[in-house]
Amino acid sequence: MTTRETLLTATSTSISTPTPPAGTWQVATEPFTTPDATLLRRAYYAEVAGRYWGRSVTEAEIDQGLLDFPDDELTGRTGRFVVGRLDGRPLACGGIRLLDPVTAELTRVYVDPCARGTGGGAALLRVLEDAGRALGAERVRLDTRSDLVEARALYARHGYAEIPAYSSGPYAEHWFEKRLV
């Protein structure tokens, strides 16, 4: 099965936790426009939108979602995008962008369901936090939804504390922060 087939299968079916593959994670900065990064961003959107709407999403809805929520701030002096590979297979991604000179925000954090429980989320957070420090951030924040329980548990395990709302939006229900310095 190709990476694309794996991602599409994982995002178009109900969320379950299959037996995770064993292996080593490598996480590196990568333009969000590469083929692997694009597939992962699409899988991320398919999962979060599908869970929110309670159904599979169409390719057109994914296209529109990516247009409505562009990743332009995840490059250069304002941010980074990373891709995580498990034994060479692109199965995770995430982004970090500056909100102000000392505050960064995590976004698009995603681990393919077939690779959850293998340390990919922790590997993403380490690299993204280092990227935040390199951008000059002293703290990192994020918002998430109540139904994304795996994400909330990941953040709590890695030192993120719930804080009062720092942003608003239809998909923000929980806000977290972690000091980087």
Side-chain angles (χ1 to χ4, degrees), residues 1 3 19-28 36 83-92 111 114-115 118-120 123:
M1 184 177 282
T3 300
T19 303
T24 303
W25 281 98
Q26 297 293 323
V27 179
D36 288 342
V83 170
R85 289 179 169 80
L86 180 60
D87 291 334
R89 294 172 47 212
L91 295 172
V111 177
C114 78
T118 64

Side-chain angles (χ1 to χ4, degrees), residues 146-159:
S146 294
D147 64 320
L148 301 176
V149 293
E150 304 93 338
R152 290 177 28 230
L154 172 72
Y155 301 131
R157 276 194 314 273
H158 291 278

Side-chain angles (χ1 to χ4, degrees), residues 56-134:
S56 294
V57 295
T58 66
E59 291 294 315
E61 288 170 326
I62 294 169
D63 293 340
Q64 188 60 52
L66 292 174
L67 287 173
D68 291 344
F69 301 100
D71 292 324
D72 298 339
E73 295 175 326
L74 302 179
T75 62
R77 291 186 293 219
T78 58
R80 302 284 185 277
F81 189 80
V82 301
V83 170
R85 289 179 169 80
L86 180 60
D87 291 334
R89 294 172 47 212
L91 295 172
C93 67
I96 191 164
R97 64 178 166 229
L98 288 176
L99 296 176
D100 63 47
V102 297
T103 308
E105 181 179 52
L106 291 180
T107 186
R108 307 292 191 268
V109 176
Y110 172 77
V111 177
D112 187 290
C114 78
R116 291 181 184 158
T118 64
L124 284 174
L125 291 179
R126 277 192 302 276
V127 172
L128 290 167
E129 290 167 4
D130 286 345
R133 286 182 196 93

